Amino acid sequence: MGRGRVEMKRIENKINRQVTFSKRRNGLLKKAYELSVLCDAEVALIIFSSRGKLYEFGSVGIERTIERYNRCYNCTLSNNKPEETTQSWCQEVTKLKSKYESLVRTNRNLLGEDLGEMGVKELQALERQLEAALTATRQRKTQVMMEEMEDLRKKERQLGDINKQLKIKFETEGHAFKTFQDLWANSAASVAGDPNNSEFPVEASHPISLDCNTEPFLQIGFQQHYYVQGEGSSVSKSNVAGETNFVQGWVL
């Protein structure tokens, strides 16, 4: 069974009036939020209770929406009241100028300048701001240093693993190379010690005696001849290349 239509008049019961206000206020705030999200609209809602308590909702901020409303309202009246529009813009410029000067003064105070005109409370507030900023800066610096140290530890562990792998590989290859060298040396030694080896026969060296004719002869042209010293011969090895191509006198 549905409820009946509510009569539009002030609720006399204080408790019922408060309950109805709470329910309808929440519903109204919810509808304003849904309207701003679904329709991408700029919504501002201001509610004052019977006791003077403020309830507000602004999709982009109450002050910004009110300023936008004032600009639109002034633009609507600009055709009839150009002087008022100029005055409103002058007021806006004055407000922005005062905000800019305040920000510049605050910045200079944070840098330790123009502190002569500040009182004790202002100096204490400035000191608290500087301490908070210094604490946040130190915490951030510590965090960055810890992150960098952790990265360096990771890189150190990675390089250590790579070094171990290279060391193991080097030892394995070095052992194999040493084994190959030992095997080659043993094979060469066994071949050199066994003259009957068919693969690498070793023949004994015997002195070769040549009968050399040491009588004089006629030499025409340049030819190199070597005399090999035979057994019991007194003729030594000599190079005839140093002789001339002419017929020696004693040959004639």
Side-chain angles (χ1 to χ4, degrees):
M1 179 178 179
R3 62 182 181 178
R5 184 175 181 181
V6 179
E7 186 178 359
M8 299 304 298
K9 69 176 185 178
R10 183 176 181 270
I11 300 174
E12 298 297 334
N13 191 331
K14 185 177 181 181
I15 297 176
N16 294 338
R17 184 171 63 245
Q18 185 65 28
V19 172
T20 303
F21 171 77
S22 178
K23 290 181 179 180
R24 291 182 178 267
R25 180 201 63 203
N26 293 334
L28 188 59
L29 291 173
K30 182 179 179 181
K31 291 295 182 182
Y33 171 73
E34 291 176 353
L35 180 63
S36 64
V37 173
L38 296 175
C39 301
D40 193 18
E42 183 177 349
V43 181
L45 177 62
I46 301 174
I47 302 174
F48 285 98
S49 66
S50 58
R51 297 180 181 180
K53 190 174 181 179
L54 173 64
Y55 301 91
E56 62 181 9
F57 168 78
S59 58
V60 294
I62 295 294
E63 295 181 356
R64 181 175 174 181
T65 305
I66 291 175
E67 291 178 359
R68 183 177 180 182
Y69 168 77
N70 290 330
R71 288 196 299 270
C72 293
Y73 180 76
N74 293 330
C75 289
T76 303
L77 300 178
S78 61
N79 295 328
N80 297 328
K81 298 180 180 180
E83 296 179 357
E84 294 181 358
T85 303
T86 305
Q87 185 178 0
S88 65
W89 281 111
C90 291
Q91 293 177 357
E92 187 72 18
V93 170
T94 304
K95 290 180 181 179
L96 294 175
K97 185 177 180 180
S98 62
K99 289 182 180 179
Y100 172 74
E101 292 177 353
S102 176
L103 292 174
V104 171
R105 184 169 57 256
T106 303
N107 188 23
R108 293 177 66 87
N109 292 334
L110 292 174
L111 294 175
E113 301 176 358
D114 297 341
L115 302 178
E117 299 179 357
M118 299 180 66
V120 178
K121 293 183 178 180
E122 294 177 348
L123 290 174
Q124 290 177 351
L126 180 61
E127 183 180 5
R128 287 192 295 270
Q129 291 179 0
L130 290 175
E131 288 178 353
L134 183 60
T135 302
T137 303
R138 287 176 177 174
Q139 290 178 355
R140 178 57 183 168
K141 183 185 72 173
T142 304
Q143 182 180 359
V144 172
M145 291 177 64
M146 295 297 293
E147 292 176 355
E148 291 181 353
M149 290 177 63
E150 186 64 25
D151 293 339
L152 291 176
R153 290 194 186 98
K154 290 181 180 179
K155 292 180 180 179
E156 182 181 4
R157 288 193 293 268
Q158 292 177 358
L159 291 175
D161 296 338
I162 294 173
N163 190 16
K164 289 181 181 179
Q165 294 176 1
L166 291 176
K167 185 177 180 181
I168 294 172
K169 185 177 179 181
F170 177 76
E171 291 178 354
T172 304
E173 293 180 354
H175 181 70
F177 182 72
K178 185 176 181 182
T179 305
F180 178 75
Q181 280 186 336
D182 296 339
L183 181 61
W184 179 266
N186 295 331
S187 301
S190 62
V191 169
D194 188 6
N196 297 324
N197 195 334
S198 60
E199 294 181 358
F200 302 96
V202 179
E203 297 181 357
S205 59
H206 298 282
I208 302 173
S209 60
L210 298 177
D211 294 333
C212 299
N213 188 7
T214 57
E215 294 181 359
F217 60 93
L218 178 62
Q219 180 180 1
I220 300 175
F222 178 78
Q223 295 180 356
Q224 289 185 353
H225 296 278
Y226 295 90
Y227 291 98
V228 180
Q229 182 179 357
E231 294 182 357
S233 175
S234 60
V235 182
S236 61
K237 182 179 179 181
S238 60
N239 189 353
V240 194
E243 298 180 359
T244 61
N245 294 330
F246 297 99
V247 179
Q248 299 296 332
W250 56 271
V251 178
L252 300 177

